Amino acid sequence: MVIIVGLGNPGREYENTRHNAGFWVVEKLAAKEQIALLEKRHRAIIGKGTVAGRKCVLARPQTYMNLSGESVRELINFYKADEKTELIVVSDDVSLEAGQIRIRKKGSAGGHNGLKNIIANLGHDSFIRVKVGVGEKPQGWDLADYVLGRFSPRDREAVEEAAERAADAICMILAQGPDAAMNHYNGMKNRGVGEAE
Protein backbone atom coordinates (compact mmCIF):
# COMPACT_ATOMS: atom_id res chain seq x y z
CA MET A 1 0.00 0.00 0.00
CA VAL A 2 1.42 3.37 -1.02
CA ILE A 3 0.65 6.32 1.24
CA ILE A 4 0.47 9.70 -0.49
CA VAL A 5 0.33 12.56 2.00
CA GLY A 6 -0.35 16.18 1.06
CA LEU A 7 0.67 18.64 3.76
CA GLY A 8 -1.39 21.65 4.78
CA ASN A 9 -3.48 23.18 7.52
CA PRO A 10 -7.17 22.32 8.00
CA GLY A 11 -9.83 25.02 8.29
CA ARG A 12 -11.33 27.60 5.99
CA GLU A 13 -8.93 30.37 7.05
CA TYR A 14 -5.99 28.41 5.60
CA GLU A 15 -7.69 27.19 2.41
CA ASN A 16 -5.84 29.20 -0.24
CA THR A 17 -2.57 29.81 1.57
CA ARG A 18 0.89 28.91 0.26
CA HIS A 19 1.36 26.30 2.99
CA ASN A 20 -1.59 24.28 1.63
CA ALA A 21 -0.05 23.44 -1.75
CA GLY A 22 0.30 19.79 -0.62
CA PHE A 23 -3.44 19.57 0.03
CA TRP A 24 -4.12 20.90 -3.49
CA VAL A 25 -1.96 18.24 -5.13
CA VAL A 26 -3.68 15.40 -3.25
CA GLU A 27 -7.09 16.89 -4.17
CA LYS A 28 -6.08 17.08 -7.86
CA LEU A 29 -4.79 13.49 -7.79
CA ALA A 30 -7.98 12.31 -6.05
CA ALA A 31 -10.15 14.03 -8.68
CA LYS A 32 -8.04 12.63 -11.53
CA GLU A 33 -8.21 9.07 -10.19
CA GLN A 34 -11.81 9.35 -8.89
CA ILE A 35 -10.87 8.71 -5.27
CA ALA A 36 -13.22 10.22 -2.69
CA LEU A 37 -11.45 11.97 0.19
CA LEU A 38 -14.13 11.51 2.82
CA GLU A 39 -12.99 9.13 5.54
CA LYS A 40 -11.62 10.56 8.80
CA ARG A 41 -8.97 8.18 10.14
CA HIS A 42 -5.42 8.35 11.46
CA ARG A 43 -5.81 12.08 12.23
CA ALA A 44 -6.32 12.72 8.52
CA ILE A 45 -8.97 12.87 5.82
CA ILE A 46 -8.21 9.89 3.60
CA GLY A 47 -9.37 8.17 0.46
CA LYS A 48 -8.41 4.73 -0.87
CA GLY A 49 -8.07 3.70 -4.49
CA THR A 50 -5.70 2.74 -7.28
CA VAL A 51 -3.15 5.04 -8.89
CA ALA A 52 -1.02 3.78 -11.80
CA GLY A 53 -2.14 0.24 -10.99
CA ARG A 54 -1.04 0.41 -7.35
CA LYS A 55 -3.22 0.45 -4.23
CA CYS A 56 -2.92 3.81 -2.52
CA VAL A 57 -4.15 5.81 0.44
CA LEU A 58 -4.38 9.55 -0.21
CA ALA A 59 -4.25 11.59 2.99
CA ARG A 60 -4.55 15.18 4.15
CA PRO A 61 -3.42 15.31 7.81
CA GLN A 62 -5.73 17.33 10.06
CA THR A 63 -3.13 17.83 12.81
CA TYR A 64 -1.98 21.25 11.54
CA MET A 65 1.32 21.47 9.72
CA ASN A 66 3.70 21.33 12.70
CA LEU A 67 2.38 17.91 13.83
CA SER A 68 2.01 16.30 10.38
CA GLY A 69 4.39 13.51 11.36
CA GLU A 70 1.97 12.17 13.97
CA SER A 71 -0.63 11.43 11.30
CA VAL A 72 2.02 10.03 8.92
CA ARG A 73 3.34 7.71 11.65
CA GLU A 74 -0.20 6.39 12.31
CA LEU A 75 -0.78 5.78 8.58
CA ILE A 76 2.57 3.97 8.18
CA ASN A 77 1.91 1.79 11.23
CA PHE A 78 -1.66 0.91 10.25
CA TYR A 79 -0.96 0.06 6.60
CA LYS A 80 2.50 -1.42 7.31
CA ALA A 81 3.98 0.61 4.47
CA ASP A 82 7.69 0.74 3.70
CA GLU A 83 8.62 4.33 4.64
CA LYS A 84 11.43 4.55 2.09
CA THR A 85 9.55 3.28 -0.97
CA GLU A 86 5.82 3.47 -0.19
CA LEU A 87 5.50 6.95 1.32
CA ILE A 88 5.21 10.06 -0.86
CA VAL A 89 4.94 13.42 0.92
CA VAL A 90 3.83 16.53 -0.98
CA SER A 91 4.72 19.95 0.44
CA ASP A 92 5.13 23.60 -0.45
CA ASP A 93 8.67 24.92 -0.90
CA VAL A 94 9.77 28.57 -0.57
CA SER A 95 13.15 27.89 -2.18
CA LEU A 96 11.50 27.06 -5.53
CA GLU A 97 9.97 29.59 -7.89
CA ALA A 98 6.17 29.66 -7.81
CA GLY A 99 5.01 26.90 -10.16
CA GLN A 100 8.15 24.74 -10.17
CA ILE A 101 8.10 21.21 -8.80
CA ARG A 102 10.96 19.08 -7.53
CA ILE A 103 11.08 15.41 -6.60
CA ARG A 104 13.54 14.07 -4.03
CA LYS A 105 14.14 10.62 -2.52
CA LYS A 106 15.62 12.00 0.71
CA GLY A 107 16.91 15.19 2.27
CA SER A 108 16.62 17.65 5.11
CA ALA A 109 13.43 19.50 6.04
CA GLY A 110 14.86 22.72 4.60
CA GLY A 111 13.15 24.73 7.33
CA HIS A 112 9.72 23.25 6.56
CA ASN A 113 8.01 22.43 9.88
CA GLY A 114 5.76 19.74 8.42
CA LEU A 115 8.71 17.85 6.93
CA LYS A 116 10.71 18.43 10.12
CA ASN A 117 7.98 16.76 12.19
CA ILE A 118 7.70 13.82 9.75
CA ILE A 119 11.48 13.29 9.92
CA ALA A 120 11.30 13.44 13.74
CA ASN A 121 8.47 10.88 13.83
CA LEU A 122 10.07 8.51 11.31
CA GLY A 123 13.59 8.86 12.68
CA HIS A 124 15.09 9.35 9.18
CA ASP A 125 14.77 11.54 6.09
CA SER A 126 14.74 8.82 3.41
CA PHE A 127 11.25 9.14 1.97
CA ILE A 128 10.03 10.37 -1.40
CA ARG A 129 8.84 13.95 -1.45
CA VAL A 130 7.29 16.11 -4.14
CA LYS A 131 7.86 19.80 -3.54
CA VAL A 132 5.72 22.55 -5.08
CA GLY A 133 7.37 25.95 -5.38
CA VAL A 134 5.47 28.85 -3.84
CA GLY A 135 8.19 31.48 -4.37
CA GLU A 136 10.74 33.01 -2.05
CA LYS A 137 9.54 35.20 0.80
CA PRO A 138 10.17 38.90 0.27
CA GLN A 139 13.00 40.44 2.28
CA GLY A 140 11.93 41.51 5.76
CA TRP A 141 8.89 39.20 5.83
CA ASP A 142 8.37 36.68 8.59
CA LEU A 143 8.42 33.16 7.10
CA ALA A 144 5.26 32.08 8.97
CA ASP A 145 3.37 35.15 7.74
CA TYR A 146 4.53 34.45 4.19
CA VAL A 147 3.58 30.75 4.01
CA LEU A 148 0.23 31.45 5.69
CA GLY A 149 -0.45 34.27 3.22
CA ARG A 150 -2.30 34.04 -0.07
CA PHE A 151 -0.96 34.02 -3.62
CA SER A 152 -1.00 36.84 -6.12
CA PRO A 153 -3.33 35.93 -9.02
CA ARG A 154 -0.33 35.21 -11.26
CA ASP A 155 1.39 32.96 -8.73
CA ARG A 156 -1.90 31.25 -7.92
CA GLU A 157 -2.28 30.28 -11.59
CA ALA A 158 1.32 29.00 -11.75
CA VAL A 159 0.88 26.92 -8.59
CA GLU A 160 -2.47 25.52 -9.80
CA GLU A 161 -0.68 24.31 -12.95
CA ALA A 162 2.18 22.96 -10.82
CA ALA A 163 -0.31 21.03 -8.67
CA GLU A 164 -1.59 19.32 -11.83
CA ARG A 165 1.98 18.49 -12.87
CA ALA A 166 2.78 17.22 -9.37
CA ALA A 167 -0.25 14.88 -9.53
CA ASP A 168 1.06 13.57 -12.88
CA ALA A 169 4.54 13.24 -11.36
CA ILE A 170 3.16 11.05 -8.56
CA CYS A 171 1.58 8.78 -11.20
CA MET A 172 4.98 8.51 -12.89
CA ILE A 173 6.72 7.75 -9.56
CA LEU A 174 4.28 4.89 -9.01
CA ALA A 175 4.48 3.58 -12.57
CA GLN A 176 8.18 4.02 -13.37
CA GLY A 177 9.92 4.84 -10.10
CA PRO A 178 11.19 8.09 -8.54
CA ASP A 179 14.33 8.30 -10.71
CA ALA A 180 12.31 8.42 -13.93
CA ALA A 181 10.03 11.09 -12.44
CA MET A 182 13.02 13.12 -11.20
CA ASN A 183 14.63 13.01 -14.66
CA HIS A 184 11.40 14.11 -16.32
CA TYR A 185 10.09 16.77 -13.93
CA ASN A 186 13.02 18.27 -11.99
CA GLY A 187 14.47 20.22 -14.90
CA MET A 188 11.10 21.37 -16.18
CA LYS A 189 10.50 25.10 -16.15
CA ASN A 190 7.44 26.47 -14.43
CA ARG A 191 4.25 27.87 -16.00
CA GLY A 192 3.95 24.91 -18.32
CA VAL A 193 7.16 25.60 -20.27
CA GLY A 194 8.71 22.35 -21.46
CA GLU A 195 5.50 20.38 -20.84
CA ALA A 196 5.53 18.93 -24.36
CA GLU A 197 8.95 17.25 -24.03
Side-chain angles (χ1 to χ4, degrees), residues 52-82:
R54 295 180 68 182
K55 286 185 180 171
C56 295
V57 175
L58 274 53
R60 290 178 312 176
Q62 301 295 290
T63 54
Y64 291 95
M65 186 63 85
N66 295 0
L67 298 176
S68 299
E70 294 181 6
S71 173
V72 170
R73 180 80 267 169
E74 281 189 34
L75 285 157
I76 293 279
N77 290 351
F78 185 83
Y79 292 103
K80 297 179 172 43
D82 180 324

PDB file of all heavy atoms in Angstrom, residues 52-82:
ATOM      1  N   ALA A  52      -2.020   4.451 -10.949  1.00  0.00           N
ATOM      2  CA  ALA A  52      -1.015   3.784 -11.800  1.00  0.00           C
ATOM      3  C   ALA A  52      -0.920   2.295 -11.467  1.00  0.00           C
ATOM      4  O   ALA A  52       0.163   1.721 -11.383  1.00  0.00           O
ATOM      5  CB  ALA A  52       0.353   4.462 -11.643  1.00  0.00           C
ATOM      6  N   GLY A  53      -2.079   1.678 -11.235  1.00  0.00           N
ATOM      7  CA  GLY A  53      -2.135   0.239 -10.988  1.00  0.00           C
ATOM      8  C   GLY A  53      -1.721  -0.198  -9.588  1.00  0.00           C
ATOM      9  O   GLY A  53      -1.632  -1.389  -9.310  1.00  0.00           O
ATOM     10  N   ARG A  54      -1.471   0.768  -8.706  1.00  0.00           N
ATOM     11  CA  ARG A  54      -1.043   0.413  -7.348  1.00  0.00           C
ATOM     12  C   ARG A  54      -2.056   0.893  -6.320  1.00  0.00           C
ATOM     13  O   ARG A  54      -2.610   1.979  -6.452  1.00  0.00           O
ATOM     14  CB  ARG A  54       0.333   1.022  -7.054  1.00  0.00           C
ATOM     15  CG  ARG A  54       1.391   0.416  -7.968  1.00  0.00           C
ATOM     16  CD  ARG A  54       2.756   0.984  -7.721  1.00  0.00           C
ATOM     17  NE  ARG A  54       3.283   0.601  -6.420  1.00  0.00           N
ATOM     18  CZ  ARG A  54       4.463   1.021  -5.960  1.00  0.00           C
ATOM     19  NH1 ARG A  54       5.225   1.802  -6.714  1.00  0.00           N
ATOM     20  NH2 ARG A  54       4.891   0.644  -4.777  1.00  0.00           N
ATOM     21  N   LYS A  55      -2.283   0.071  -5.299  1.00  0.00           N
ATOM     22  CA  LYS A  55      -3.221   0.448  -4.231  1.00  0.00           C
ATOM     23  C   LYS A  55      -2.608   1.579  -3.412  1.00  0.00           C
ATOM     24  O   LYS A  55      -1.449   1.490  -2.993  1.00  0.00           O
ATOM     25  CB  LYS A  55      -3.498  -0.744  -3.322  1.00  0.00           C
ATOM     26  CG  LYS A  55      -4.399  -1.774  -3.950  1.00  0.00           C
ATOM     27  CD  LYS A  55      -4.721  -2.863  -2.959  1.00  0.00           C
ATOM     28  CE  LYS A  55      -5.645  -3.897  -3.600  1.00  0.00           C
ATOM     29  NZ  LYS A  55      -5.822  -5.065  -2.749  1.00  0.00           N
ATOM     30  N   CYS A  56      -3.411   2.616  -3.212  1.00  0.00           N
ATOM     31  CA  CYS A  56      -2.918   3.809  -2.524  1.00  0.00           C
ATOM     32  C   CYS A  56      -3.906   4.319  -1.489  1.00  0.00           C
ATOM     33  O   CYS A  56      -5.115   4.122  -1.614  1.00  0.00           O
ATOM     34  CB  CYS A  56      -2.690   4.943  -3.526  1.00  0.00           C
ATOM     35  SG  CYS A  56      -1.395   4.617  -4.708  1.00  0.00           S
ATOM     36  N   VAL A  57      -3.355   5.008  -0.500  1.00  0.00           N
ATOM     37  CA  VAL A  57      -4.145   5.806   0.437  1.00  0.00           C
ATOM     38  C   VAL A  57      -3.709   7.246   0.215  1.00  0.00           C
ATOM     39  O   VAL A  57      -2.512   7.553   0.287  1.00  0.00           O
ATOM     40  CB  VAL A  57      -3.880   5.406   1.905  1.00  0.00           C
ATOM     41  CG1 VAL A  57      -4.628   6.338   2.850  1.00  0.00           C
ATOM     42  CG2 VAL A  57      -4.292   3.977   2.164  1.00  0.00           C
ATOM     43  N   LEU A  58      -4.656   8.114  -0.099  1.00  0.00           N
ATOM     44  CA  LEU A  58      -4.382   9.545  -0.208  1.00  0.00           C
ATOM     45  C   LEU A  58      -4.796  10.175   1.114  1.00  0.00           C
ATOM     46  O   LEU A  58      -5.875   9.861   1.632  1.00  0.00           O
ATOM     47  CB  LEU A  58      -5.193  10.170  -1.350  1.00  0.00           C
ATOM     48  CG  LEU A  58      -4.585  10.111  -2.755  1.00  0.00           C
ATOM     49  CD1 LEU A  58      -4.189   8.711  -3.142  1.00  0.00           C
ATOM     50  CD2 LEU A  58      -5.535  10.704  -3.772  1.00  0.00           C
ATOM     51  N   ALA A  59      -3.952  11.037   1.668  1.00  0.00           N
ATOM     52  CA  ALA A  59      -4.246  11.593   2.994  1.00  0.00           C
ATOM     53  C   ALA A  59      -3.918  13.075   3.074  1.00  0.00           C
ATOM     54  O   ALA A  59      -2.912  13.532   2.535  1.00  0.00           O
ATOM     55  CB  ALA A  59      -3.459  10.828   4.057  1.00  0.00           C
ATOM     56  N   ARG A  60      -4.805  13.792   3.774  1.00  0.00           N
ATOM     57  CA  ARG A  60      -4.552  15.179   4.146  1.00  0.00           C
ATOM     58  C   ARG A  60      -4.588  15.238   5.676  1.00  0.00           C
ATOM     59  O   ARG A  60      -5.673  15.227   6.267  1.00  0.00           O
ATOM     60  CB  ARG A  60      -5.623  16.113   3.574  1.00  0.00           C
ATOM     61  CG  ARG A  60      -5.561  16.281   2.076  1.00  0.00           C
ATOM     62  CD  ARG A  60      -6.671  17.173   1.588  1.00  0.00           C
ATOM     63  NE  ARG A  60      -7.953  16.769   2.169  1.00  0.00           N
ATOM     64  CZ  ARG A  60      -9.093  17.412   1.994  1.00  0.00           C
ATOM     65  NH1 ARG A  60      -9.144  18.478   1.250  1.00  0.00           N
ATOM     66  NH2 ARG A  60     -10.203  16.989   2.561  1.00  0.00           N
ATOM     67  N   PRO A  61      -3.431  15.271   6.344  1.00  0.00           N
ATOM     68  CA  PRO A  61      -3.422  15.307   7.808  1.00  0.00           C
ATOM     69  C   PRO A  61      -4.216  16.505   8.337  1.00  0.00           C
ATOM     70  O   PRO A  61      -4.183  17.589   7.754  1.00  0.00           O
ATOM     71  CB  PRO A  61      -1.934  15.443   8.156  1.00  0.00           C
ATOM     72  CG  PRO A  61      -1.235  14.840   6.986  1.00  0.00           C
ATOM     73  CD  PRO A  61      -2.076  15.204   5.791  1.00  0.00           C
ATOM     74  N   GLN A  62      -4.911  16.272   9.441  1.00  0.00           N
ATOM     75  CA  GLN A  62      -5.726  17.326  10.062  1.00  0.00           C
ATOM     76  C   GLN A  62      -5.111  17.794  11.388  1.00  0.00           C
ATOM     77  O   GLN A  62      -5.772  18.375  12.227  1.00  0.00           O
ATOM     78  CB  GLN A  62      -7.154  16.807  10.289  1.00  0.00           C
ATOM     79  CG  GLN A  62      -7.864  16.357   9.019  1.00  0.00           C
ATOM     80  CD  GLN A  62      -8.104  17.498   8.051  1.00  0.00           C
ATOM     81  OE1 GLN A  62      -8.921  18.384   8.311  1.00  0.00           O
ATOM     82  NE2 GLN A  62      -7.399  17.512   6.918  1.00  0.00           N
ATOM     83  N   THR A  63      -3.825  17.538  11.557  1.00  0.00           N
ATOM     84  CA  THR A  63      -3.130  17.826  12.813  1.00  0.00           C
ATOM     85  C   THR A  63      -2.590  19.245  12.871  1.00  0.00           C
ATOM     86  O   THR A  63      -1.999  19.623  13.865  1.00  0.00           O
ATOM     87  CB  THR A  63      -1.915  16.890  12.945  1.00  0.00           C
ATOM     88  OG1 THR A  63      -1.130  17.033  11.755  1.00  0.00           O
ATOM     89  CG2 THR A  63      -2.316  15.449  13.124  1.00  0.00           C
ATOM     90  N   TYR A  64      -2.709  20.005  11.788  1.00  0.00           N
ATOM     91  CA  TYR A  64      -1.985  21.250  11.536  1.00  0.00           C
ATOM     92  C   TYR A  64      -0.556  20.880  11.177  1.00  0.00           C
ATOM     93  O   TYR A  64      -0.030  19.842  11.563  1.00  0.00           O
ATOM     94  CB  TYR A  64      -2.062  22.260  12.693  1.00  0.00           C
ATOM     95  CG  TYR A  64      -3.460  22.821  12.836  1.00  0.00           C
ATOM     96  CD1 TYR A  64      -4.361  22.268  13.734  1.00  0.00           C
ATOM     97  CD2 TYR A  64      -3.902  23.859  12.015  1.00  0.00           C
ATOM     98  CE1 TYR A  64      -5.655  22.742  13.829  1.00  0.00           C
ATOM     99  CE2 TYR A  64      -5.200  24.349  12.104  1.00  0.00           C
ATOM    100  CZ  TYR A  64      -6.073  23.778  13.013  1.00  0.00           C
ATOM    101  OH  TYR A  64      -7.359  24.249  13.094  1.00  0.00           O
ATOM    102  N   MET A  65       0.031  21.758  10.373  1.00  0.00           N
ATOM    103  CA  MET A  65       1.317  21.472   9.724  1.00  0.00           C
ATOM    104  C   MET A  65       2.392  20.957  10.678  1.00  0.00           C
ATOM    105  O   MET A  65       3.054  19.969  10.402  1.00  0.00           O
ATOM    106  CB  MET A  65       1.810  22.750   9.028  1.00  0.00           C
ATOM    107  CG  MET A  65       3.047  22.561   8.211  1.00  0.00           C
ATOM    108  SD  MET A  65       2.811  21.407   6.840  1.00  0.00           S
ATOM    109  CE  MET A  65       2.137  22.491   5.587  1.00  0.00           C
ATOM    110  N   ASN A  66       2.562  21.633  11.821  1.00  0.00           N
ATOM    111  CA  ASN A  66       3.700  21.328  12.701  1.00  0.00           C
ATOM    112  C   ASN A  66       3.652  19.940  13.320  1.00  0.00           C
ATOM    113  O   ASN A  66       4.644  19.481  13.880  1.00  0.00           O
ATOM    114  CB  ASN A  66       3.806  22.382  13.807  1.00  0.00           C
ATOM    115  CG  ASN A  66       4.127  23.761  13.243  1.00  0.00           C
ATOM    116  OD1 ASN A  66       4.265  23.927  12.035  1.00  0.00           O
ATOM    117  ND2 ASN A  66       4.240  24.736  14.108  1.00  0.00           N
ATOM    118  N   LEU A  67       2.500  19.266  13.260  1.00  0.00           N
ATOM    119  CA  LEU A  67       2.375  17.914  13.828  1.00  0.00           C
ATOM    120  C   LEU A  67       2.039  16.877  12.749  1.00  0.00           C
ATOM    121  O   LEU A  67       1.558  15.788  13.058  1.00  0.00           O
ATOM    122  CB  LEU A  67       1.301  17.893  14.932  1.00  0.00           C
ATOM    123  CG  LEU A  67       1.574  18.787  16.149  1.00  0.00           C
ATOM    124  CD1 LEU A  67       0.397  18.752  17.113  1.00  0.00           C
ATOM    125  CD2 LEU A  67       2.855  18.363  16.868  1.00  0.00           C
ATOM    126  N   SER A  68       2.329  17.200  11.501  1.00  0.00           N
ATOM    127  CA  SER A  68       2.009  16.304  10.377  1.00  0.00           C
ATOM    128  C   SER A  68       2.570  14.896  10.571  1.00  0.00           C
ATOM    129  O   SER A  68       1.958  13.911  10.170  1.00  0.00           O
ATOM    130  CB  SER A  68       2.572  16.858   9.061  1.00  0.00           C
ATOM    131  OG  SER A  68       2.018  18.115   8.769  1.00  0.00           O
ATOM    132  N   GLY A  69       3.730  14.794  11.183  1.00  0.00           N
ATOM    133  CA  GLY A  69       4.391  13.507  11.359  1.00  0.00           C
ATOM    134  C   GLY A  69       3.598  12.533  12.207  1.00  0.00           C
ATOM    135  O   GLY A  69       3.732  11.309  12.047  1.00  0.00           O
ATOM    136  N   GLU A  70       2.763  13.058  13.116  1.00  0.00           N
ATOM    137  CA  GLU A  70       1.969  12.170  13.975  1.00  0.00           C
ATOM    138  C   GLU A  70       0.952  11.394  13.140  1.00  0.00           C
ATOM    139  O   GLU A  70       0.746  10.198  13.334  1.00  0.00           O
ATOM    140  CB  GLU A  70       1.285  12.984  15.074  1.00  0.00           C
ATOM    141  CG  GLU A  70       2.295  13.597  16.028  1.00  0.00           C
ATOM    142  CD  GLU A  70       1.662  14.388  17.155  1.00  0.00           C
ATOM    143  OE1 GLU A  70       0.413  14.378  17.278  1.00  0.00           O
ATOM    144  OE2 GLU A  70       2.424  15.012  17.908  1.00  0.00           O
ATOM    145  N   SER A  71       0.324  12.080  12.199  1.00  0.00           N
ATOM    146  CA  SER A  71      -0.629  11.429  11.297  1.00  0.00           C
ATOM    147  C   SER A  71       0.100  10.457  10.371  1.00  0.00           C
ATOM    148  O   SER A  71      -0.348   9.325  10.160  1.00  0.00           O
ATOM    149  CB  SER A  71      -1.378  12.487  10.486  1.00  0.00           C
ATOM    150  OG  SER A  71      -2.191  11.881   9.507  1.00  0.00           O
ATOM    151  N   VAL A  72       1.246  10.885   9.829  1.00  0.00           N
ATOM    152  CA  VAL A  72       2.022  10.031   8.916  1.00  0.00           C
ATOM    153  C   VAL A  72       2.451   8.754   9.638  1.00  0.00           C
ATOM    154  O   VAL A  72       2.340   7.652   9.088  1.00  0.00           O
ATOM    155  CB  VAL A  72       3.245  10.805   8.356  1.00  0.00           C
ATOM    156  CG1 VAL A  72       4.195   9.868   7.600  1.00  0.00           C
ATOM    157  CG2 VAL A  72       2.779  11.925   7.431  1.00  0.00           C
ATOM    158  N   ARG A  73       2.912   8.880  10.875  1.00  0.00           N
ATOM    159  CA  ARG A  73       3.341   7.711  11.655  1.00  0.00           C
ATOM    160  C   ARG A  73       2.182   6.721  11.831  1.00  0.00           C
ATOM    161  O   ARG A  73       2.349   5.518  11.660  1.00  0.00           O
ATOM    162  CB  ARG A  73       3.843   8.196  13.020  1.00  0.00           C
ATOM    163  CG  ARG A  73       4.336   7.141  13.972  1.00  0.00           C
ATOM    164  CD  ARG A  73       5.754   6.700  13.652  1.00  0.00           C
ATOM    165  NE  ARG A  73       5.766   5.533  12.783  1.00  0.00           N
ATOM    166  CZ  ARG A  73       6.821   5.052  12.182  1.00  0.00           C
ATOM    167  NH1 ARG A  73       7.986   5.647  12.289  1.00  0.00           N
ATOM    168  NH2 ARG A  73       6.754   3.987  11.417  1.00  0.00           N
ATOM    169  N   GLU A  74       0.980   7.251  12.149  1.00  0.00           N
ATOM    170  CA  GLU A  74      -0.204   6.386  12.309  1.00  0.00           C
ATOM    171  C   GLU A  74      -0.539   5.663  11.010  1.00  0.00           C
ATOM    172  O   GLU A  74      -0.857   4.470  11.012  1.00  0.00           O
ATOM    173  CB  GLU A  74      -1.416   7.207  12.766  1.00  0.00           C
ATOM    174  CG  GLU A  74      -1.410   7.541  14.249  1.00  0.00           C
ATOM    175  CD  GLU A  74      -2.726   8.171  14.700  1.00  0.00           C
ATOM    176  OE1 GLU A  74      -3.789   7.813  14.160  1.00  0.00           O
ATOM    177  OE2 GLU A  74      -2.675   9.029  15.607  1.00  0.00           O
ATOM    178  N   LEU A  75      -0.480   6.383   9.901  1.00  0.00           N
ATOM    179  CA  LEU A  75      -0.778   5.785   8.583  1.00  0.00           C
ATOM    180  C   LEU A  75       0.219   4.678   8.251  1.00  0.00           C
ATOM    181  O   LEU A  75      -0.173   3.587   7.825  1.00  0.00           O
ATOM    182  CB  LEU A  75      -0.738   6.872   7.499  1.00  0.00           C
ATOM    183  CG  LEU A  75      -1.936   7.822   7.461  1.00  0.00           C
ATOM    184  CD1 LEU A  75      -1.568   9.139   6.800  1.00  0.00           C
ATOM    185  CD2 LEU A  75      -3.120   7.181   6.743  1.00  0.00           C
ATOM    186  N   ILE A  76       1.502   4.959   8.453  1.00  0.00           N
ATOM    187  CA  ILE A  76       2.565   3.970   8.182  1.00  0.00           C
ATOM    188  C   ILE A  76       2.348   2.719   9.031  1.00  0.00           C
ATOM    189  O   ILE A  76       2.412   1.592   8.543  1.00  0.00           O
ATOM    190  CB  ILE A  76       3.960   4.577   8.497  1.00  0.00           C
ATOM    191  CG1 ILE A  76       4.307   5.705   7.527  1.00  0.00           C
ATOM    192  CG2 ILE A  76       5.048   3.506   8.528  1.00  0.00           C
ATOM    193  CD1 ILE A  76       4.834   5.305   6.191  1.00  0.00           C
ATOM    194  N   ASN A  77       2.088   2.926  10.317  1.00  0.00           N
ATOM    195  CA  ASN A  77       1.913   1.788  11.227  1.00  0.00           C
ATOM    196  C   ASN A  77       0.692   0.952  10.848  1.00  0.00           C
ATOM    197  O   ASN A  77       0.746  -0.272  10.833  1.00  0.00           O
ATOM    198  CB  ASN A  77       1.767   2.266  12.674  1.00  0.00           C
ATOM    199  CG  ASN A  77       3.070   2.823  13.231  1.00  0.00           C
ATOM    200  OD1 ASN A  77       4.119   2.703  12.611  1.00  0.00           O
ATOM    201  ND2 ASN A  77       3.006   3.441  14.387  1.00  0.00           N
ATOM    202  N   PHE A  78      -0.417   1.618  10.541  1.00  0.00           N
ATOM    203  CA  PHE A  78      -1.663   0.905  10.251  1.00  0.00           C
ATOM    204  C   PHE A  78      -1.560   0.106   8.952  1.00  0.00           C
ATOM    205  O   PHE A  78      -1.968  -1.051   8.902  1.00  0.00           O
ATOM    206  CB  PHE A  78      -2.839   1.885  10.180  1.00  0.00           C
ATOM    207  CG  PHE A  78      -4.160   1.195  10.006  1.00  0.00           C
ATOM    208  CD1 PHE A  78      -4.841   0.687  11.100  1.00  0.00           C
ATOM    209  CD2 PHE A  78      -4.725   1.027   8.742  1.00  0.00           C
ATOM    210  CE1 PHE A  78      -6.066   0.032  10.948  1.00  0.00           C
ATOM    211  CE2 PHE A  78      -5.950   0.365   8.579  1.00  0.00           C
ATOM    212  CZ  PHE A  78      -6.613  -0.127   9.686  1.00  0.00           C
ATOM    213  N   TYR A  79      -1.016   0.733   7.917  1.00  0.00           N
ATOM    214  CA  TYR A  79      -0.963   0.064   6.602  1.00  0.00           C
ATOM    215  C   TYR A  79       0.334  -0.720   6.386  1.00  0.00           C
ATOM    216  O   TYR A  79       0.516  -1.328   5.341  1.00  0.00           O
ATOM    217  CB  TYR A  79      -1.168   1.087   5.475  1.00  0.00           C
ATOM    218  CG  TYR A  79      -2.576   1.626   5.473  1.00  0.00           C
ATOM    219  CD1 TYR A  79      -2.859   2.890   5.967  1.00  0.00           C
ATOM    220  CD2 TYR A  79      -3.639   0.839   5.021  1.00  0.00           C
ATOM    221  CE1 TYR A  79      -4.162   3.380   5.996  1.00  0.00           C
ATOM    222  CE2 TYR A  79      -4.940   1.321   5.036  1.00  0.00           C
ATOM    223  CZ  TYR A  79      -5.191   2.585   5.530  1.00  0.00           C
ATOM    224  OH  TYR A  79      -6.478   3.065   5.555  1.00  0.00           O
ATOM    225  N   LYS A  80       1.223  -0.685   7.376  1.00  0.00           N
ATOM    226  CA  LYS A  80       2.495  -1.423   7.310  1.00  0.00           C
ATOM    227  C   LYS A  80       3.254  -1.109   6.010  1.00  0.00           C
ATOM    228  O   LYS A  80       3.743  -1.996   5.314  1.00  0.00           O
ATOM    229  CB  LYS A  80       2.264  -2.925   7.471  1.00  0.00           C
ATOM    230  CG  LYS A  80       1.672  -3.269   8.836  1.00  0.00           C
ATOM    231  CD  LYS A  80       1.409  -4.739   9.004  1.00  0.00           C
ATOM    232  CE  LYS A  80       0.992  -5.107  10.421  1.00  0.00           C
ATOM    233  NZ  LYS A  80       0.030  -4.231  11.065  1.00  0.00           N
ATOM    234  N   ALA A  81       3.302   0.176   5.696  1.00  0.00           N
ATOM    235  CA  ALA A  81       3.976   0.612   4.466  1.00  0.00           C
ATOM    236  C   ALA A  81       5.476   0.738   4.704  1.00  0.00           C
ATOM    237  O   ALA A  81       5.922   1.004   5.815  1.00  0.00           O
ATOM    238  CB  ALA A  81       3.401   1.956   4.015  1.00  0.00           C
ATOM    239  N   ASP A  82       6.246   0.536   3.641  1.00  0.00           N
ATOM    240  CA  ASP A  82       7.686   0.738   3.697  1.00  0.00           C
ATOM    241  C   ASP A  82       7.934   2.250   3.557  1.00  0.00           C
ATOM    242  O   ASP A  82       7.662   2.835   2.508  1.00  0.00           O
ATOM    243  CB  ASP A  82       8.353  -0.025   2.548  1.00  0.00           C
ATOM    244  CG  ASP A  82       9.862   0.132   2.534  1.00  0.00           C
ATOM    245  OD1 ASP A  82      10.373   1.224   2.868  1.00  0.00           O
ATOM    246  OD2 ASP A  82      10.551  -0.834   2.177  1.00  0.00           O
TER     247      ASP A  82
END
